[in-house]
Amino acid sequence: MKNLHSIMLDKEKCKGCTNCIKRCPTEAIRVRNSKARIIDQRCIDCGECIRTCPYHAKYAVTDSLEEINKFQYKVALPAPSFYAQFEVDDVNKLLYVLLDIGFDDVFEVAKAAEIVTHFTKQFILNNKSKKPIISSACPAVVRLIQTKFPDLIENILPIASPMEVAAYIAKKKIQREKRIEEGKIGVFFISPCAAKMTYVNSPLGFKRSYVDGVIAIKDVYGLVRSKLREIKDVKLLSIASGKGIGWAASGGESLALEIEEYVNVDGIHNVVKVLEEIENGRLKDIVYFEGLACSGGCVGGPLTVENPYVAKNRIKRLSSKLKDKEESFSWWTEEIINSFSLKLEDILFEKELETNPVLELDSDIERAMEKFEKLNNILSMLPGLDCGACGSPTCKTLAEDIVRGFANDTDCIFILRESIKELANKMVELSNKLPPSLERNDE
């Protein structure tokens, strides 16, 4: 995997408190010399450390709004969760504001979500492979599976995410209608999460991404909110239905599929628990698993502004409001699919997802077995408290770090204490010892 991550560490702000190491789902953070260190190969950019850090030492690197000016024609791809950040009675106002702040066009990711739903139904109907099928919409969950659950890679839905489909259609549409070369068209995703930025840098299942940049919702929130006050009457821009917008919250994707045998889970640690169940063969009757890294779904992303519970309620209200217009919105979906002659094959993965071998102790099997035995021996000597004082999240990860040569057994405060006690006893013993010439022999 390429180390092109969005989540970074500000060492100046880091206090070495160890809060982050306990929350990282892939144990990608260590604390050494009173500073956190992110292990790139393990990081899945879920953003859990951003939420956890009380000193705001973790942050996401995304594109600034000024980046759009590098392109002749600029297109905004608002995530469905973008709508939930504002108290508006009409989504068209938000889309109009995006045009007002510098974009030339808008293509709703919510509409692309409906297109993905259409083709996912086809895939489920014809799928004869492993069940449950695992949604590929959340890149953090896909990378989690590559890292911790490699046996489940075959279960992942091999279909492009709504963001990628939206970018693909937007560029084809503009090339056709405006006669502008693809390289001069800049497509930017308005994102709730850092994982999407990492996806653009290092696509999953594809050789390249059609997305040219990712702008955090929080970075345009203030500007959009100030512009909203000036807007009164707007023309119809939105063609997304309530089902597409519903993808912003946990369960929205599954509900849009209109199947009964599904499980939807939000929050990365909850996702881990369910993936363990799937790996152990306990959810074989489930057809579809929707896992989202953020609590509440994308509305709870680390790059959003609004309270996730308030945002989730807004998505629910928006979806309900548009329910009566489902038929007309469905027409738009069919129109786009037919207009671009889209087929399932057009949005299937171009290449297989690979396992992230970061958990392997060695590429050589014999050496790996030797290291594994050494790891278990070290682990048996550790207290098993998983206190994190050593700078590793658990006793097991400390044992692994020692085997890899990144730590010492005395990093454990309990082993260090015993070593000091042993050394102190030896010093007392030595302090009472006399040279042979001075020793008394009572015999």
Side-chain angles (χ1 to χ4, degrees):
M1 282 185 179
K2 296 179 181 179
N3 298 327
L4 299 170
H5 295 283
S6 171
I7 292 178
M8 298 293 173
L9 170 72
D10 186 337
K11 288 187 177 181
E12 294 298 317
K13 292 182 178 179
C14 180
K15 305 298 182 184
C17 67
T18 73
N19 281 334
C20 56
I21 68 173
K22 308 298 284 183
R23 294 296 298 169
C24 179
T26 56
E27 299 170 330
I29 306 175
R30 302 290 186 272
V31 174
R32 299 286 185 266
N33 301 316
S34 299
K35 298 292 179 184
R37 180 174 68 87
I38 300 173
I39 303 172
D40 287 342
Q41 293 85 351
R42 285 178 177 261
C43 180
I44 60 173
D45 295 273
C46 63
E48 194 66 19
C49 58
I50 294 177
R51 298 185 188 89
T52 303
C53 182
Y55 304 104
H56 308 291
K58 316 296 188 305
Y59 64 97
V61 176
T62 53
D63 294 300
S64 66
L65 185 60
E66 287 71 29
E67 288 293 309
I68 70 175
N69 296 318
K70 293 180 179 179
F71 296 88
Q72 178 185 331
Y73 199 87
K74 304 165 279 289
V75 186
L77 304 181
S81 53
F82 174 72
Y83 305 147
Q85 305 305 302
F86 309 91
E87 185 64 66
V88 292
D89 56 356
D90 187 356
V91 168
N92 290 291
K93 290 181 180 179
L94 289 171
L95 302 184
Y96 192 86
V97 168
L98 291 176
L99 297 178
D100 197 39
I101 65 174
F103 289 99
D104 299 302
D105 208 338
V106 176
F107 192 95
E108 296 172 278
V109 175
K111 175 49 66 177
E114 295 171 50
I115 294 169
V116 170
T117 298
H118 172 86
F119 287 115
T120 300
K121 287 179 179 180
Q122 286 186 18
F123 184 86
I124 292 173
L125 192 62
N126 300 317
N127 178 56
K128 305 296 180 185
S129 59
K130 288 186 176 181
K131 288 184 179 179
I133 297 167
I134 300 173
S135 169
S136 57
C138 179
V141 170
V142 173
R143 293 188 193 278
L144 172 70
I145 293 170
Q146 288 178 290
T147 303
K148 291 192 72 171
F149 304 95
D151 290 342
L152 298 181
I153 287 177
E154 292 181 13
N155 293 62
I156 296 174
L157 178 72
I159 289 180
S161 69
M163 175 190 76
E164 192 62 34
V165 172
Y168 172 81
I169 294 173
K171 285 195 171 182
K172 296 299 179 186
K173 179 176 179 287
I174 292 155
Q175 281 179 277
R176 178 192 293 180
E177 295 177 358
K178 306 291 183 180
R179 303 295 181 186
I180 300 175
E181 295 175 14
E182 184 181 325
K184 295 180 180 179
I185 304 168
V187 174
F188 289 80
F189 180 58
I190 314 299
S191 178
C193 75
K196 292 293 188 182
M197 184 74 199
T198 306
Y199 170 91
V200 173
N201 292 334
S202 182
L204 296 164
F206 295 92
K207 297 173 184 175
R208 68 161 181 126
S209 174
Y210 281 90
V211 180
D212 296 293
V214 175
I215 299 171
I217 287 176
K218 67 182 182 64
D219 289 343
V220 295
Y221 175 82
L223 181 59
V224 171
R225 188 173 180 180
S226 64
K227 292 282 185 181
L228 273 174
R229 300 190 188 102
E230 303 169 9
I231 292 175
K232 295 179 181 179
D233 298 321
V234 293
K235 61 182 180 180
L236 179 66
L237 294 173
S238 178
I239 57 172
S241 73
K243 288 181 179 179
I245 292 173
W247 272 57
S250 177
E253 179 186 359
S254 300
L255 288 173
L257 286 172
E258 299 175 329
I259 57 175
E260 294 181 358
E261 303 85 2
Y262 73 87
V263 169
N264 65 274
V265 179
D266 57 275
I268 194 69
H269 294 286
N270 295 326
V271 171
V272 168
K273 290 176 184 177
V274 177
L275 288 175
E276 288 172 350
E277 294 283 299
I278 294 173
E279 190 174 49
N280 293 328
R282 294 175 186 156
L283 295 175
K284 290 181 179 178
D285 295 333
I286 300 300
V287 173
Y288 199 78
F289 172 63
E290 175 194 342
L292 296 171
C294 300
S295 295
C298 296
V299 291
L303 304 185
T304 59
V305 176
E306 186 56 271
N307 178 291
Y309 299 102
V310 172
K312 190 172 183 178
N313 187 49
R314 284 178 183 165
I315 289 297
K316 186 177 180 181
R317 293 203 324 260
L318 274 173
S319 297
S320 179
K321 182 179 178 181
L322 296 171
K323 196 169 183 180
D324 295 337
K325 301 177 182 178
E326 287 292 338
E327 192 172 322
S328 62
F329 287 124
S330 297
W331 178 88
W332 272 109
T333 304
E334 293 295 333
E335 175 65 18
I336 293 171
I337 291 171
N338 294 332
S339 177
F340 292 94
S341 302
L342 277 177
K343 300 183 293 296
L344 174 61
E345 293 74 22
D346 295 326
I347 60 172
L348 287 175
F349 285 176
E350 296 173 345
K351 59 179 184 177
E352 293 184 1
L353 295 173
E354 298 177 354
T355 299
N356 182 2
V358 70
L359 299 183
E360 293 178 3
L361 292 173
D362 202 295
S363 56
D364 181 88
I365 296 177
E366 288 187 15
R367 285 201 294 267
M369 292 298 291
E370 290 173 5
K371 289 181 178 180
F372 184 71
E373 186 177 351
K374 184 180 178 182
L375 186 153
N376 284 328
N377 290 335
I378 295 170
L379 187 59
S380 66
M381 295 187 292
L382 296 174
L385 298 176
D386 296 339
C387 65
C390 61
S392 298
T394 63
C395 289
K396 185 177 180 181
T397 51
L398 174 60
E400 183 183 328
D401 290 344
I402 294 170
V403 168
R404 292 181 186 274
F406 301 144
N408 300 305
D409 57 354
T410 50
D411 288 343
C412 173
I413 188 65
F414 297 96
I415 288 181
L416 178 63
R417 187 173 62 184
E418 290 301 315
S419 298
I420 291 173
K421 189 186 295 183
E422 186 179 335
L423 181 61
N425 290 334
K426 285 183 179 180
M427 289 179 69
V428 171
E429 185 181 328
L430 286 170
S431 69
N432 295 323
K433 190 173 178 64
L434 295 172
S437 61
L438 298 178
E439 286 185 354
R440 295 180 59 182
N441 191 342
D442 295 332
E443 291 181 1

